[in-house]
Each structure stands twice: as C-alpha cells, then as structure tokens.
Amino acid sequence: MDDVPRGKEHFVLVHGAGHGAWCWFKLVSLIQGSGHRVTCIDLAGAAGTFVDPNDVRSFDDYDAPLVDFMAALPDGEKVILVGHSAGGLSVTHVMHMFRHRIKQAIFIAATMLPFGYLTEQDVKDGAPDLSEFGDVYDLKFGLGEDHPPTSVALRKEHQRTILYQQSPQEDSTLASILMRPWPAALSTARFGCIHDDIESTVNTVRRVYIKTANDHMVKLEQQEAMIHRWPPSEVMVMETDHSPFFSAPEHLLELILKSL
C-alpha cells in the first residue's frame, strides 16, 4: 500500500523477544482496514529473517533490520513506531538515531528505558522476572558451555500462562509454532549516553504508553515504574494479558488511533 491518502499514517510495528512480524497479523489487517499504511519489522533471529539467533552477538546486530528500515525512509517521511514488550528497546534505540523521522512512539506493555539496561534499576524495571513460574527458560550455548548463553527460549509449556492467558487458544497455538529463541544479546541493550542534550533530544519524540493490567511477563508494577521514571505524553490501559494484539486487537487499534 504505497499510495496513502493525505492525513493517513505509516505505522511501523516492532515485535518483542521470540516473536516476529507474524504476531501482528490481526492488527495489520485492522490498520489497513482503517486506511493507514503499516510495515512489520522482523528483527534479527526472528522467523522471517532466516538468521540463527545464536549468531546474533550484539544488540546492534539484533536491531539492524529496524535501523536499516529507518535509514532508508524517503526524505520528509515520518512514521509512528509501535513497540511491544522488548520491542520497546528497539524503538527507543532508533529514537536516539532518527528522531526527525518519527512522529510518535507507542509502547505496548513494553520496555521503556531512555538508555536501555544501563543500571540495576533499569534491569529491575524492564527485564521480566518470571521466577514465580519456576524454570521457564531454555538456554543455548553456541560458543560452548564455558561462555555465556547465545540464545534464550521460553519453554512451550509456559508460553500460554505467561504471554497469552486471555488470548484465543488458536492464537497461542499459532504462536507456539512460530516463536523462536531470541538472541541473548538482547539483554545487553544500551544506547545513547547520559547527558542533558542527549536526554532532551530523545524526549523530542512524543511517547504513548499502553499498559496491560493482567500482564504476567512485564508486570503492571514494572510498567508503572518505567512510566514514573520516564513519563510519556499519554498513558492508556487495557485489561488484557501481555499480548493484546491477540486478546483484544480491536480495542488496541482504538487506543492507537485515539493517541494520534
């Protein structure tokens, strides 16, 4: 959909850990049905990239598909970035680099940290704590057991409980087929630098946060802590699980369009 009527927006959807462009299929249809343009990004290691997540050794490599997309935008075009979960890190990363090409950034149950995982507090607020569910991760050591893990996967038996407990069964089944391990390098995400000029620069992009009240992955108190530490322009809330693109896509679209 290249010919977009004047006044219509270009949404760029950025998935979270283990997911891919595929997870947005319901929202894509709804956005297109409302007359807007939409692009879904597959970050490195996602199912659509044919990249082994164990070969992705840095956050810059992981985020390269989004960075390349933003760099290739036509002069004068501004997009609305929508990041889910860990996709919030990717969104903030390109906010530092391409603020003049971003009309608005929307964070859905997302990690919203101005400089990534720079401090222990950042990790506490932004990284999932799933200890209450037991041993939920499978780690792969692509460089050998004497090196840190190269990829992380959420075990299938925990996926619905943690990610999709309010979503239709067929959607969580689809996700269990398409989800992949994600590069461990995602946990090293850091960008920008702590300096008043840089902070004010990244703050020139309007931000909206959509909270998910029944979230088991990025818990509500974590979302609220990130909002408190780096207040966005607007905060909305959905009474959903971590994945409203499955559990309440029509309401999600309603909030996204309302935020414009």
Side-chain angles (χ1 to χ4, degrees):
M1 186 184 297
D2 295 324
D3 298 323
V4 182
R6 182 174 298 274
K8 298 301 184 181
E9 307 292 353
H10 184 181
F11 292 91
V12 178
L13 310 185
V14 185
H15 64 82
H19 290 71
W22 56 266
C23 74
W24 300 107
F25 74 97
K26 288 185 174 181
L27 189 62
V28 167
S29 179
L30 292 169
I31 291 174
Q32 291 175 334
S34 67
H36 298 282
R37 184 180 178 188
V38 59
T39 299
C40 297
I41 302 295
D42 270 312
L43 299 173
T49 65
F50 304 104
V51 174
D52 186 339
N54 294 286
D55 292 335
V56 180
R57 303 291 165 75
S58 71
F59 180 75
D60 284 347
D61 289 344
Y62 174 73
D63 214 24
L66 177 60
V67 172
D68 292 346
F69 172 84
M70 295 297 296
L73 282 172
D75 289 343
E77 180 173 349
K78 286 192 173 186
V79 299
I80 296 174
L81 293 173
V82 181
H84 174 249
S85 196
L89 293 165
S90 299
V91 166
T92 308
H93 182 208
V94 296
M95 284 169 57
H96 282 274
M97 302 172 68
F98 302 103
R99 65 187 185 280
H100 296 306
R101 298 184 176 190
I102 303 169
K103 182 175 182 180
Q104 179 170 297
I106 302 174
F107 295 76
I108 304 170
T111 306
M112 186 178 69
L113 303 166
F115 306 104
Y117 293 125
L118 202 61
T119 68
E120 290 184 6
Q121 190 64 48
D122 292 331
V123 174
K124 179 180 179 182
D125 293 343
D129 177 5
L130 304 179
S131 55
E132 68 184 275
F133 299 103
D135 187 8
V136 301
Y137 291 127
D138 281 326
L139 306 179
K140 186 166 184 178
F141 296 83
L143 298 175
E145 294 289 339
D146 54 340
H147 291 273
T150 50
S151 70
V152 184
L154 184 64
R155 292 178 176 170
K156 285 186 182 293
E157 62 266 28
H158 296 289
Q159 289 173 7
R160 180 165 178 82
T161 300
I162 294 173
L163 299 173
Y164 316 118
Q165 80 274 11
Q166 291 178 242
S167 300
Q169 185 70 49
E170 58 267 30
D171 291 337
S172 61
T173 300
L174 174 68
S176 72
I177 296 169
L178 294 175
M179 275 191 72
R180 297 187 74 189
W182 60 90
L186 180 53
S187 65
T188 68
R190 295 183 181 184
F191 29 77
C193 60
I194 299 181
H195 186 280
D196 287 342
D197 291 339
I198 296 295
E199 187 171 0
S200 62
T201 294
V202 76
N203 279 333
T204 61
V205 177
R206 185 176 190 272
R207 286 176 292 116
V208 175
Y209 199 100
I210 299 178
K211 299 192 294 184
T212 45
N214 303 321
D215 201 316
H216 293 166
M217 186 71 172
V218 182
K219 295 179 175 62
L220 184 60
E221 54 266 31
Q222 290 180 288
Q223 298 176 44
E224 291 175 340
M226 290 185 285
I227 290 168
H228 176 75
R229 292 177 60 209
W230 192 28
S233 302
E234 186 173 2
V235 177
M236 300 172 162
V237 63
M238 302 182 71
E239 297 293 329
T240 69
D241 56 18
H242 185 60
S243 306
F245 45 73
F246 287 160
S247 55
E250 292 86 0
H251 186 206
L252 178 58
L253 176 69
E254 178 185 345
L255 294 185
I256 287 173
L257 296 181
K258 185 179 178 182
S259 76
L260 302 180

